[in-house]
Amino acid sequence: MCQLLGMNCASPTDFNFSFKGFKCRGGETDVHAHGWGLAIYEGRGVRTFHDPLPCAASPIADMVSSYPIKTLNMMAHIRYATQGAVSLENVHPFTREMWGIQWTFAHNGEVPKFTVPRNPQEENNSNNFCGGTTTDIPLLGKCMKAVYHPVGDTDSEAVFCAMLNALRAEFTTLPTLPVLYEAIQR
C-alpha cells in the first residue's frame, strides 16, 4: 500500500527534514516506487508537485527537499500502485476547487466500490463501478449528477470526486466545520 506524510502546524514550519526521510522510502529503502506527490498549502493557495518517477530518484523531489518552504499544512504521498497505471494522472494528492477552496486528497488502501474494471470483459459484467466506465463514478448522498470526475483511473481519485459531488449536492456554500464533519461521516 501507499504511504502518507502529513503535517498540520500551529505556526509555519519547514518540512524539509521530514520530507528527505520520506523521499528515501519512495523506491530506495522501500517498494513505493510508482510515483509521488506533495501538496503545500500557502494561504488560500496550494503548491503541488507530482512525478510518476520513484520519489528517491526524482529531480523534482530533490529540488523540493532542498527548497525552504514553510507551511501550516502539507501532505505527501508515495505510491505503490494497486489500482491504475503508473502514470502522472494517477499520482496523489488530487486537488479540486469547491466553494473557492482548494481541496486536496491522498489515500492509502483500496475501495472496492470505486475500483475501475481492469479489462473489457470485467467492464461489461461489472456492477461495482457506476456504468462500468472510467468516466462514471458511484454517486453518494444526495448527489444526482456528478460535477467532479476522475482524470486518472485510481479508486482513490474516484472516491475523492464522489465525496466532493455529495458535499456539493448537499451544500451551496461552505458549511460550518461541525456540519461539514457530520456530512463527511455519513
Side-chain angles (χ1 to χ4, degrees):
M1 283 195 202
C2 303
Q3 292 188 357
L4 303 166
L5 170 68
M7 291 178 56
N8 181 287
C9 309
S11 60
T13 303
D14 181 329
F15 61 88
N16 297 75
F17 177 79
S18 298
F19 184 72
K20 284 177 185 175
F22 187 68
K23 179 175 85 105
C24 293
R25 298 187 62 75
E28 183 178 319
T29 62
D30 211 336
V31 297
H32 302 83
H34 302 139
W36 69 277
L38 172 69
I40 307 159
Y41 279 83
E42 296 182 56
R44 292 176 52 100
V46 179
R47 187 183 303 242
T48 59
F49 301 91
H50 296 92
D51 196 342
L53 292 175
C55 194
S58 169
I60 300 169
D62 289 341
M63 185 274 300
V64 169
S65 65
S66 64
Y67 193 74
I69 302 171
K70 291 191 175 190
T71 184
L72 296 175
N73 298 289
M74 64 78 68
M75 70 172 72
H77 181 276
I78 51 176
R79 186 165 187 245
Y80 181 79
T82 58
Q83 298 289 323
V86 176
S87 60
L88 186 60
E89 65 269 18
N90 288 329
V91 176
H92 306 214
F94 305 106
T95 304
R96 301 289 192 282
E97 180 278 332
M98 182 170 64
W99 306 317
I101 298 169
Q102 294 290 332
W103 297 84
T104 306
F105 181 86
H107 175 256
N108 177 18
E110 293 186 8
V111 187
K113 181 178 180 178
F114 291 84
T115 299
V116 178
R118 293 177 187 220
N119 65 54
Q121 185 175 5
E122 213 177 312
E123 188 168 313
N124 292 336
N125 297 324
S126 176
N127 291 324
N128 66 334
F129 201 74
C130 184
T133 69
T134 57
T135 57
D136 294 329
I137 58 173
L139 301 176
L140 301 175
K142 298 177 182 180
C143 183
M144 302 306 275
K145 182 180 179 191
V147 173
Y148 300 98
H149 299 275
V151 175
D153 55 357
T154 67
D155 53 347
S156 298
E157 188 181 19
V159 166
F160 180 45
C161 291
M163 289 170 42
L164 291 178
N165 285 322
L167 290 171
R168 184 181 170 121
E170 189 165 341
F171 306 105
T172 56
T173 59
L174 178 65
T176 64
L177 289 181
V179 171
L180 181 62
Y181 179 78
E182 181 183 318
I184 292 171
Q185 292 302 308
R186 286 186 260 134

